[in-house]
PDB file of all heavy atoms in Angstrom:
ATOM      1  N   GLY A   1       2.104   8.814   3.982  1.00  0.00           N
ATOM      2  CA  GLY A   1       3.128   8.841   2.924  1.00  0.00           C
ATOM      3  C   GLY A   1       3.018  10.106   2.149  1.00  0.00           C
ATOM      4  O   GLY A   1       3.982  10.729   1.764  1.00  0.00           O
ATOM      5  N   HIS A   2       1.783  10.561   1.806  1.00  0.00           N
ATOM      6  CA  HIS A   2       1.545  11.811   1.111  1.00  0.00           C
ATOM      7  C   HIS A   2       2.052  12.974   1.979  1.00  0.00           C
ATOM      8  O   HIS A   2       2.634  13.893   1.458  1.00  0.00           O
ATOM      9  CB  HIS A   2       0.059  12.007   0.746  1.00  0.00           C
ATOM     10  CG  HIS A   2      -0.378  11.094  -0.330  1.00  0.00           C
ATOM     11  ND1 HIS A   2       0.275  10.898  -1.556  1.00  0.00           N
ATOM     12  CD2 HIS A   2      -1.515  10.341  -0.431  1.00  0.00           C
ATOM     13  CE1 HIS A   2      -0.390  10.035  -2.302  1.00  0.00           C
ATOM     14  NE2 HIS A   2      -1.491   9.708  -1.619  1.00  0.00           N
ATOM     15  N   VAL A   3       1.748  12.922   3.265  1.00  0.00           N
ATOM     16  CA  VAL A   3       2.229  13.990   4.199  1.00  0.00           C
ATOM     17  C   VAL A   3       3.741  14.117   4.146  1.00  0.00           C
ATOM     18  O   VAL A   3       4.307  15.194   4.160  1.00  0.00           O
ATOM     19  CB  VAL A   3       1.718  13.736   5.623  1.00  0.00           C
ATOM     20  CG1 VAL A   3       2.450  14.610   6.640  1.00  0.00           C
ATOM     21  CG2 VAL A   3       0.244  13.923   5.728  1.00  0.00           C
ATOM     22  N   LEU A   4       4.409  12.998   4.027  1.00  0.00           N
ATOM     23  CA  LEU A   4       5.883  12.920   3.972  1.00  0.00           C
ATOM     24  C   LEU A   4       6.434  13.446   2.633  1.00  0.00           C
ATOM     25  O   LEU A   4       7.558  13.769   2.500  1.00  0.00           O
ATOM     26  CB  LEU A   4       6.361  11.534   4.202  1.00  0.00           C
ATOM     27  CG  LEU A   4       6.178  11.049   5.648  1.00  0.00           C
ATOM     28  CD1 LEU A   4       6.453   9.561   5.788  1.00  0.00           C
ATOM     29  CD2 LEU A   4       7.067  11.851   6.617  1.00  0.00           C
ATOM     30  N   GLY A   5       5.523  13.500   1.586  1.00  0.00           N
ATOM     31  CA  GLY A   5       5.943  13.972   0.284  1.00  0.00           C
ATOM     32  C   GLY A   5       5.862  12.975  -0.831  1.00  0.00           C
ATOM     33  O   GLY A   5       6.118  13.321  -2.001  1.00  0.00           O
ATOM     34  N   LEU A   6       5.454  11.734  -0.530  1.00  0.00           N
ATOM     35  CA  LEU A   6       5.335  10.773  -1.584  1.00  0.00           C
ATOM     36  C   LEU A   6       4.044  10.938  -2.369  1.00  0.00           C
ATOM     37  O   LEU A   6       3.015  11.349  -1.811  1.00  0.00           O
ATOM     38  CB  LEU A   6       5.335   9.327  -0.992  1.00  0.00           C
ATOM     39  CG  LEU A   6       6.640   8.871  -0.338  1.00  0.00           C
ATOM     40  CD1 LEU A   6       6.443   7.528   0.278  1.00  0.00           C
ATOM     41  CD2 LEU A   6       7.768   8.850  -1.363  1.00  0.00           C
ATOM     42  N   GLY A   7       4.118  10.654  -3.663  1.00  0.00           N
ATOM     43  CA  GLY A   7       2.954  10.711  -4.507  1.00  0.00           C
ATOM     44  C   GLY A   7       2.431   9.275  -4.707  1.00  0.00           C
ATOM     45  O   GLY A   7       2.786   8.328  -3.982  1.00  0.00           O
ATOM     46  N   ASP A   8       1.594   9.093  -5.693  1.00  0.00           N
ATOM     47  CA  ASP A   8       1.046   7.781  -5.997  1.00  0.00           C
ATOM     48  C   ASP A   8       2.030   6.907  -6.738  1.00  0.00           C
ATOM     49  O   ASP A   8       2.978   7.388  -7.409  1.00  0.00           O
ATOM     50  CB  ASP A   8      -0.222   7.940  -6.808  1.00  0.00           C
ATOM     51  CG  ASP A   8      -1.383   8.523  -6.036  1.00  0.00           C
ATOM     52  OD1 ASP A   8      -1.403   8.415  -4.797  1.00  0.00           O
ATOM     53  OD2 ASP A   8      -2.265   9.142  -6.695  1.00  0.00           O
ATOM     54  N   SER A   9       1.803   5.586  -6.648  1.00  0.00           N
ATOM     55  CA  SER A   9       2.608   4.664  -7.372  1.00  0.00           C
ATOM     56  C   SER A   9       1.666   3.898  -8.325  1.00  0.00           C
ATOM     57  O   SER A   9       0.508   3.752  -8.052  1.00  0.00           O
ATOM     58  CB  SER A   9       3.212   3.597  -6.350  1.00  0.00           C
ATOM     59  OG  SER A   9       3.712   2.515  -7.088  1.00  0.00           O
ATOM     60  N   SER A  10       2.251   3.436  -9.422  1.00  0.00           N
ATOM     61  CA  SER A  10       1.486   2.658 -10.419  1.00  0.00           C
ATOM     62  C   SER A  10       1.491   1.150 -10.135  1.00  0.00           C
ATOM     63  O   SER A  10       0.839   0.401 -10.832  1.00  0.00           O
ATOM     64  CB  SER A  10       2.051   2.930 -11.801  1.00  0.00           C
ATOM     65  OG  SER A  10       3.426   2.472 -11.890  1.00  0.00           O
ATOM     66  N   GLU A  11       2.217   0.741  -9.142  1.00  0.00           N
ATOM     67  CA  GLU A  11       2.324  -0.682  -8.764  1.00  0.00           C
ATOM     68  C   GLU A  11       1.329  -1.057  -7.668  1.00  0.00           C
ATOM     69  O   GLU A  11       1.427  -0.562  -6.537  1.00  0.00           O
ATOM     70  CB  GLU A  11       3.759  -0.920  -8.295  1.00  0.00           C
ATOM     71  CG  GLU A  11       4.011  -2.355  -7.862  1.00  0.00           C
ATOM     72  CD  GLU A  11       3.724  -3.418  -8.896  1.00  0.00           C
ATOM     73  OE1 GLU A  11       4.090  -3.204 -10.100  1.00  0.00           O
ATOM     74  OE2 GLU A  11       3.027  -4.391  -8.568  1.00  0.00           O
ATOM     75  N   PRO A  12       0.400  -1.986  -7.987  1.00  0.00           N
ATOM     76  CA  PRO A  12      -0.620  -2.298  -6.973  1.00  0.00           C
ATOM     77  C   PRO A  12      -0.070  -2.857  -5.648  1.00  0.00           C
ATOM     78  O   PRO A  12      -0.792  -2.792  -4.600  1.00  0.00           O
ATOM     79  CB  PRO A  12      -1.472  -3.387  -7.670  1.00  0.00           C
ATOM     80  CG  PRO A  12      -1.260  -3.117  -9.109  1.00  0.00           C
ATOM     81  CD  PRO A  12       0.169  -2.593  -9.233  1.00  0.00           C
ATOM     82  N   SER A  13       1.102  -3.394  -5.573  1.00  0.00           N
ATOM     83  CA  SER A  13       1.682  -3.925  -4.323  1.00  0.00           C
ATOM     84  C   SER A  13       2.183  -2.849  -3.415  1.00  0.00           C
ATOM     85  O   SER A  13       2.531  -3.150  -2.246  1.00  0.00           O
ATOM     86  CB  SER A  13       2.729  -5.034  -4.593  1.00  0.00           C
ATOM     87  OG  SER A  13       3.844  -4.433  -5.300  1.00  0.00           O
ATOM     88  N   ASP A  14       2.345  -1.636  -3.883  1.00  0.00           N
ATOM     89  CA  ASP A  14       2.888  -0.503  -3.104  1.00  0.00           C
ATOM     90  C   ASP A  14       1.801   0.080  -2.191  1.00  0.00           C
ATOM     91  O   ASP A  14       0.642   0.214  -2.623  1.00  0.00           O
ATOM     92  CB  ASP A  14       3.493   0.604  -3.990  1.00  0.00           C
ATOM     93  CG  ASP A  14       4.658   0.100  -4.791  1.00  0.00           C
ATOM     94  OD1 ASP A  14       5.303  -0.899  -4.404  1.00  0.00           O
ATOM     95  OD2 ASP A  14       4.973   0.796  -5.783  1.00  0.00           O
ATOM     96  N   ILE A  15       2.177   0.546  -1.031  1.00  0.00           N
ATOM     97  CA  ILE A  15       1.210   1.234  -0.138  1.00  0.00           C
ATOM     98  C   ILE A  15       0.713   2.469  -0.762  1.00  0.00           C
ATOM     99  O   ILE A  15      -0.393   2.953  -0.499  1.00  0.00           O
ATOM    100  CB  ILE A  15       1.829   1.440   1.264  1.00  0.00           C
ATOM    101  CG1 ILE A  15       0.757   1.483   2.347  1.00  0.00           C
ATOM    102  CG2 ILE A  15       2.691   2.692   1.311  1.00  0.00           C
ATOM    103  CD1 ILE A  15       0.094   0.218   2.707  1.00  0.00           C
ATOM    104  N   MET A  16       1.493   3.091  -1.635  1.00  0.00           N
ATOM    105  CA  MET A  16       1.178   4.349  -2.254  1.00  0.00           C
ATOM    106  C   MET A  16       0.325   4.189  -3.585  1.00  0.00           C
ATOM    107  O   MET A  16       0.048   5.126  -4.212  1.00  0.00           O
ATOM    108  CB  MET A  16       2.369   5.238  -2.542  1.00  0.00           C
ATOM    109  CG  MET A  16       3.164   5.580  -1.258  1.00  0.00           C
ATOM    110  SD  MET A  16       2.159   6.352   0.015  1.00  0.00           S
ATOM    111  CE  MET A  16       1.719   7.886  -0.792  1.00  0.00           C
ATOM    112  N   TYR A  17      -0.091   2.963  -3.844  1.00  0.00           N
ATOM    113  CA  TYR A  17      -1.000   2.705  -4.927  1.00  0.00           C
ATOM    114  C   TYR A  17      -2.340   3.371  -4.613  1.00  0.00           C
ATOM    115  O   TYR A  17      -2.863   3.129  -3.441  1.00  0.00           O
ATOM    116  CB  TYR A  17      -1.155   1.213  -5.208  1.00  0.00           C
ATOM    117  CG  TYR A  17      -1.929   0.859  -6.417  1.00  0.00           C
ATOM    118  CD1 TYR A  17      -1.483   1.137  -7.720  1.00  0.00           C
ATOM    119  CD2 TYR A  17      -3.175   0.215  -6.302  1.00  0.00           C
ATOM    120  CE1 TYR A  17      -2.189   0.789  -8.831  1.00  0.00           C
ATOM    121  CE2 TYR A  17      -3.912  -0.122  -7.426  1.00  0.00           C
ATOM    122  CZ  TYR A  17      -3.419   0.154  -8.679  1.00  0.00           C
ATOM    123  OH  TYR A  17      -4.150  -0.137  -9.799  1.00  0.00           O
ATOM    124  N   PRO A  18      -2.951   4.180  -5.454  1.00  0.00           N
ATOM    125  CA  PRO A  18      -4.136   4.978  -5.045  1.00  0.00           C
ATOM    126  C   PRO A  18      -5.438   4.234  -4.924  1.00  0.00           C
ATOM    127  O   PRO A  18      -6.439   4.793  -4.501  1.00  0.00           O
ATOM    128  CB  PRO A  18      -4.207   6.013  -6.180  1.00  0.00           C
ATOM    129  CG  PRO A  18      -3.601   5.330  -7.358  1.00  0.00           C
ATOM    130  CD  PRO A  18      -2.544   4.451  -6.828  1.00  0.00           C
ATOM    131  N   ILE A  19      -5.502   2.932  -5.210  1.00  0.00           N
ATOM    132  CA  ILE A  19      -6.768   2.173  -5.060  1.00  0.00           C
ATOM    133  C   ILE A  19      -6.569   1.139  -4.000  1.00  0.00           C
ATOM    134  O   ILE A  19      -5.573   0.386  -3.952  1.00  0.00           O
ATOM    135  CB  ILE A  19      -7.086   1.520  -6.429  1.00  0.00           C
ATOM    136  CG1 ILE A  19      -7.243   2.603  -7.495  1.00  0.00           C
ATOM    137  CG2 ILE A  19      -8.346   0.639  -6.297  1.00  0.00           C
ATOM    138  CD1 ILE A  19      -7.313   2.057  -8.890  1.00  0.00           C
ATOM    139  N   MET A  20      -7.562   1.053  -3.104  1.00  0.00           N
ATOM    140  CA  MET A  20      -7.473   0.105  -2.008  1.00  0.00           C
ATOM    141  C   MET A  20      -7.375  -1.295  -2.569  1.00  0.00           C
ATOM    142  O   MET A  20      -8.097  -1.681  -3.488  1.00  0.00           O
ATOM    143  CB  MET A  20      -8.703   0.232  -1.080  1.00  0.00           C
ATOM    144  CG  MET A  20      -8.522  -0.624   0.167  1.00  0.00           C
ATOM    145  SD  MET A  20      -9.868  -0.384   1.344  1.00  0.00           S
ATOM    146  CE  MET A  20     -11.183  -1.333   0.576  1.00  0.00           C
ATOM    147  N   ARG A  21      -6.583  -2.140  -1.914  1.00  0.00           N
ATOM    148  CA  ARG A  21      -6.425  -3.516  -2.332  1.00  0.00           C
ATOM    149  C   ARG A  21      -7.696  -4.290  -2.092  1.00  0.00           C
ATOM    150  O   ARG A  21      -8.436  -4.033  -1.145  1.00  0.00           O
ATOM    151  CB  ARG A  21      -5.302  -4.176  -1.532  1.00  0.00           C
ATOM    152  CG  ARG A  21      -3.960  -3.466  -1.810  1.00  0.00           C
ATOM    153  CD  ARG A  21      -2.855  -4.213  -1.061  1.00  0.00           C
ATOM    154  NE  ARG A  21      -1.564  -3.660  -1.472  1.00  0.00           N
ATOM    155  CZ  ARG A  21      -0.708  -3.154  -0.628  1.00  0.00           C
ATOM    156  NH1 ARG A  21      -0.942  -3.143   0.656  1.00  0.00           N
ATOM    157  NH2 ARG A  21       0.421  -2.675  -1.085  1.00  0.00           N
ATOM    158  N   THR A  22      -7.934  -5.291  -2.953  1.00  0.00           N
ATOM    159  CA  THR A  22      -9.135  -6.101  -2.763  1.00  0.00           C
ATOM    160  C   THR A  22      -8.817  -7.161  -1.694  1.00  0.00           C
ATOM    161  O   THR A  22      -9.778  -7.715  -1.107  1.00  0.00           O
ATOM    162  CB  THR A  22      -9.479  -6.838  -4.114  1.00  0.00           C
ATOM    163  OG1 THR A  22      -8.335  -7.559  -4.528  1.00  0.00           O
ATOM    164  CG2 THR A  22      -9.914  -5.801  -5.134  1.00  0.00           C
ATOM    165  N   ARG A  23      -7.579  -7.444  -1.406  1.00  0.00           N
ATOM    166  CA  ARG A  23      -7.244  -8.391  -0.332  1.00  0.00           C
ATOM    167  C   ARG A  23      -7.662  -7.774   0.961  1.00  0.00           C
ATOM    168  O   ARG A  23      -7.341  -6.626   1.309  1.00  0.00           O
ATOM    169  CB  ARG A  23      -5.701  -8.608  -0.373  1.00  0.00           C
ATOM    170  CG  ARG A  23      -5.150  -9.392   0.743  1.00  0.00           C
ATOM    171  CD  ARG A  23      -3.652  -9.411   0.664  1.00  0.00           C
ATOM    172  NE  ARG A  23      -3.190  -8.032   0.792  1.00  0.00           N
ATOM    173  CZ  ARG A  23      -1.941  -7.656   1.000  1.00  0.00           C
ATOM    174  NH1 ARG A  23      -1.016  -8.496   1.085  1.00  0.00           N
ATOM    175  NH2 ARG A  23      -1.649  -6.383   1.148  1.00  0.00           N
ATOM    176  N   ARG A  24      -8.430  -8.520   1.745  1.00  0.00           N
ATOM    177  CA  ARG A  24      -8.926  -8.013   3.024  1.00  0.00           C
ATOM    178  C   ARG A  24      -7.997  -8.390   4.127  1.00  0.00           C
ATOM    179  O   ARG A  24      -7.628  -9.536   4.361  1.00  0.00           O
ATOM    180  CB  ARG A  24     -10.337  -8.545   3.259  1.00  0.00           C
ATOM    181  CG  ARG A  24     -11.269  -8.085   2.113  1.00  0.00           C
ATOM    182  CD  ARG A  24     -12.724  -8.520   2.318  1.00  0.00           C
ATOM    183  NE  ARG A  24     -13.388  -7.895   3.406  1.00  0.00           N
ATOM    184  CZ  ARG A  24     -13.885  -6.681   3.483  1.00  0.00           C
ATOM    185  NH1 ARG A  24     -13.706  -5.843   2.487  1.00  0.00           N
ATOM    186  NH2 ARG A  24     -14.537  -6.218   4.525  1.00  0.00           N
ATOM    187  N   LEU A  25      -7.567  -7.389   4.879  1.00  0.00           N
ATOM    188  CA  LEU A  25      -6.625  -7.569   6.013  1.00  0.00           C
ATOM    189  C   LEU A  25      -7.341  -7.308   7.290  1.00  0.00           C
ATOM    190  O   LEU A  25      -7.655  -6.138   7.621  1.00  0.00           O
ATOM    191  CB  LEU A  25      -5.425  -6.639   5.905  1.00  0.00           C
ATOM    192  CG  LEU A  25      -4.577  -6.764   4.678  1.00  0.00           C
ATOM    193  CD1 LEU A  25      -3.436  -5.715   4.675  1.00  0.00           C
ATOM    194  CD2 LEU A  25      -3.963  -8.194   4.606  1.00  0.00           C
ATOM    195  N   ALA A  26      -7.658  -8.298   8.069  1.00  0.00           N
ATOM    196  CA  ALA A  26      -8.354  -8.117   9.320  1.00  0.00           C
ATOM    197  C   ALA A  26      -7.430  -7.527  10.401  1.00  0.00           C
ATOM    198  O   ALA A  26      -7.866  -6.683  11.160  1.00  0.00           O
ATOM    199  CB  ALA A  26      -8.966  -9.463   9.813  1.00  0.00           C
ATOM    200  N   ARG A  27      -6.200  -7.931  10.364  1.00  0.00           N
ATOM    201  CA  ARG A  27      -5.264  -7.493  11.438  1.00  0.00           C
ATOM    202  C   ARG A  27      -4.485  -6.257  11.001  1.00  0.00           C
ATOM    203  O   ARG A  27      -3.929  -6.240   9.891  1.00  0.00           O
ATOM    204  CB  ARG A  27      -4.357  -8.597  11.881  1.00  0.00           C
ATOM    205  CG  ARG A  27      -5.069  -9.728  12.519  1.00  0.00           C
ATOM    206  CD  ARG A  27      -4.169 -10.703  13.216  1.00  0.00           C
ATOM    207  NE  ARG A  27      -2.833 -10.903  12.559  1.00  0.00           N
ATOM    208  CZ  ARG A  27      -2.421 -12.009  12.018  1.00  0.00           C
ATOM    209  NH1 ARG A  27      -3.197 -13.091  12.033  1.00  0.00           N
ATOM    210  NH2 ARG A  27      -1.210 -12.103  11.507  1.00  0.00           N
ATOM    211  N   VAL A  28      -4.378  -5.287  11.852  1.00  0.00           N
ATOM    212  CA  VAL A  28      -3.594  -4.054  11.603  1.00  0.00           C
ATOM    213  C   VAL A  28      -2.156  -4.377  11.325  1.00  0.00           C
ATOM    214  O   VAL A  28      -1.553  -3.852  10.444  1.00  0.00           O
ATOM    215  CB  VAL A  28      -3.717  -3.109  12.757  1.00  0.00           C
ATOM    216  CG1 VAL A  28      -2.777  -1.930  12.638  1.00  0.00           C
ATOM    217  CG2 VAL A  28      -5.147  -2.586  12.911  1.00  0.00           C
ATOM    218  N   SER A  29      -1.617  -5.380  12.037  1.00  0.00           N
ATOM    219  CA  SER A  29      -0.179  -5.725  11.906  1.00  0.00           C
ATOM    220  C   SER A  29       0.162  -6.275  10.491  1.00  0.00           C
ATOM    221  O   SER A  29       1.343  -6.324  10.133  1.00  0.00           O
ATOM    222  CB  SER A  29       0.176  -6.750  12.914  1.00  0.00           C
ATOM    223  OG  SER A  29      -0.592  -7.974  12.768  1.00  0.00           O
ATOM    224  N   ARG A  30      -0.797  -6.606   9.640  1.00  0.00           N
ATOM    225  CA  ARG A  30      -0.558  -7.138   8.335  1.00  0.00           C
ATOM    226  C   ARG A  30      -0.252  -6.016   7.319  1.00  0.00           C
ATOM    227  O   ARG A  30       0.265  -6.294   6.254  1.00  0.00           O
ATOM    228  CB  ARG A  30      -1.774  -7.951   7.839  1.00  0.00           C
ATOM    229  CG  ARG A  30      -2.099  -9.149   8.621  1.00  0.00           C
ATOM    230  CD  ARG A  30      -1.058 -10.251   8.483  1.00  0.00           C
ATOM    231  NE  ARG A  30      -0.862 -10.519   7.087  1.00  0.00           N
ATOM    232  CZ  ARG A  30      -1.023 -11.708   6.500  1.00  0.00           C
ATOM    233  NH1 ARG A  30      -1.344 -12.737   7.200  1.00  0.00           N
ATOM    234  NH2 ARG A  30      -0.757 -11.851   5.208  1.00  0.00           N
ATOM    235  N   ALA A  31      -0.592  -4.798   7.685  1.00  0.00           N
ATOM    236  CA  ALA A  31      -0.331  -3.616   6.754  1.00  0.00           C
ATOM    237  C   ALA A  31       1.137  -3.247   6.813  1.00  0.00           C
ATOM    238  O   ALA A  31       1.698  -3.108   7.907  1.00  0.00           O
ATOM    239  CB  ALA A  31      -1.209  -2.430   7.153  1.00  0.00           C
ATOM    240  N   GLY A  32       1.771  -3.151   5.647  1.00  0.00           N
ATOM    241  CA  GLY A  32       3.179  -2.829   5.654  1.00  0.00           C
ATOM    242  C   GLY A  32       3.642  -2.159   4.337  1.00  0.00           C
ATOM    243  O   GLY A  32       2.871  -2.094   3.383  1.00  0.00           O
ATOM    244  N   LEU A  33       4.826  -1.696   4.356  1.00  0.00           N
ATOM    245  CA  LEU A  33       5.411  -1.054   3.162  1.00  0.00           C
ATOM    246  C   LEU A  33       6.052  -2.045   2.275  1.00  0.00           C
ATOM    247  O   LEU A  33       6.656  -3.032   2.705  1.00  0.00           O
ATOM    248  CB  LEU A  33       6.485   0.013   3.572  1.00  0.00           C
ATOM    249  CG  LEU A  33       6.035   1.087   4.539  1.00  0.00           C
ATOM    250  CD1 LEU A  33       7.207   1.935   4.930  1.00  0.00           C
ATOM    251  CD2 LEU A  33       4.942   1.921   3.873  1.00  0.00           C
ATOM    252  N   SER A  34       6.048  -1.844   0.952  1.00  0.00           N
ATOM    253  CA  SER A  34       6.770  -2.647  -0.004  1.00  0.00           C
ATOM    254  C   SER A  34       8.240  -2.201  -0.079  1.00  0.00           C
ATOM    255  O   SER A  34       8.588  -1.118   0.408  1.00  0.00           O
ATOM    256  CB  SER A  34       6.128  -2.548  -1.407  1.00  0.00           C
ATOM    257  OG  SER A  34       6.339  -1.289  -1.926  1.00  0.00           O
ATOM    258  N   GLN A  35       9.048  -2.996  -0.713  1.00  0.00           N
ATOM    259  CA  GLN A  35      10.440  -2.582  -0.967  1.00  0.00           C
ATOM    260  C   GLN A  35      10.489  -1.291  -1.798  1.00  0.00           C
ATOM    261  O   GLN A  35      11.346  -0.422  -1.632  1.00  0.00           O
ATOM    262  CB  GLN A  35      11.249  -3.725  -1.583  1.00  0.00           C
ATOM    263  CG  GLN A  35      11.520  -4.855  -0.692  1.00  0.00           C
ATOM    264  CD  GLN A  35      12.265  -4.421   0.600  1.00  0.00           C
ATOM    265  OE1 GLN A  35      13.189  -3.634   0.586  1.00  0.00           O
ATOM    266  NE2 GLN A  35      11.818  -4.961   1.701  1.00  0.00           N
ATOM    267  N   ARG A  36       9.527  -1.170  -2.755  1.00  0.00           N
ATOM    268  CA  ARG A  36       9.488   0.050  -3.601  1.00  0.00           C
ATOM    269  C   ARG A  36       9.113   1.270  -2.759  1.00  0.00           C
ATOM    270  O   ARG A  36       9.661   2.355  -3.007  1.00  0.00           O
ATOM    271  CB  ARG A  36       8.541  -0.171  -4.749  1.00  0.00           C
ATOM    272  CG  ARG A  36       9.036  -1.143  -5.813  1.00  0.00           C
ATOM    273  CD  ARG A  36       7.909  -1.533  -6.843  1.00  0.00           C
ATOM    274  NE  ARG A  36       7.098  -0.399  -7.183  1.00  0.00           N
ATOM    275  CZ  ARG A  36       7.349   0.439  -8.255  1.00  0.00           C
ATOM    276  NH1 ARG A  36       8.480   0.306  -8.937  1.00  0.00           N
ATOM    277  NH2 ARG A  36       6.523   1.402  -8.518  1.00  0.00           N
ATOM    278  N   ASP A  37       8.166   1.093  -1.817  1.00  0.00           N
ATOM    279  CA  ASP A  37       7.844   2.217  -0.950  1.00  0.00           C
ATOM    280  C   ASP A  37       9.112   2.660  -0.147  1.00  0.00           C
ATOM    281  O   ASP A  37       9.332   3.866  -0.014  1.00  0.00           O
ATOM    282  CB  ASP A  37       6.748   1.785   0.086  1.00  0.00           C
ATOM    283  CG  ASP A  37       5.392   1.445  -0.545  1.00  0.00           C
ATOM    284  OD1 ASP A  37       4.991   2.181  -1.495  1.00  0.00           O
ATOM    285  OD2 ASP A  37       4.795   0.500  -0.076  1.00  0.00           O
TER     286      ASP A  37
END
């Protein structure tokens, strides 16, 4: 997302939030973009 030109987001549910989520995702397919992203 940074490569594409996006900066950080202040919303923890966004992929561009700069701190890794505490929710643990074992499956790659669970990672996705928010509506805000």
Side-chain angles (χ1 to χ4, degrees):
H2 289 312
V3 167
L4 292 168
L6 292 176
D8 290 335
S9 168
S10 62
E11 177 58 45
S13 63
D14 295 340
I15 206 73
M16 299 306 295
Y17 187 68
I19 300 169
M20 188 175 76
R21 295 184 175 124
T22 57
R23 174 186 61 168
R24 299 183 66 76
L25 300 177
R27 293 193 328 244
V28 171
S29 61
R30 297 290 307 237
L33 303 175
S34 71
Q35 289 302 318
R36 288 171 40 87
D37 295 319

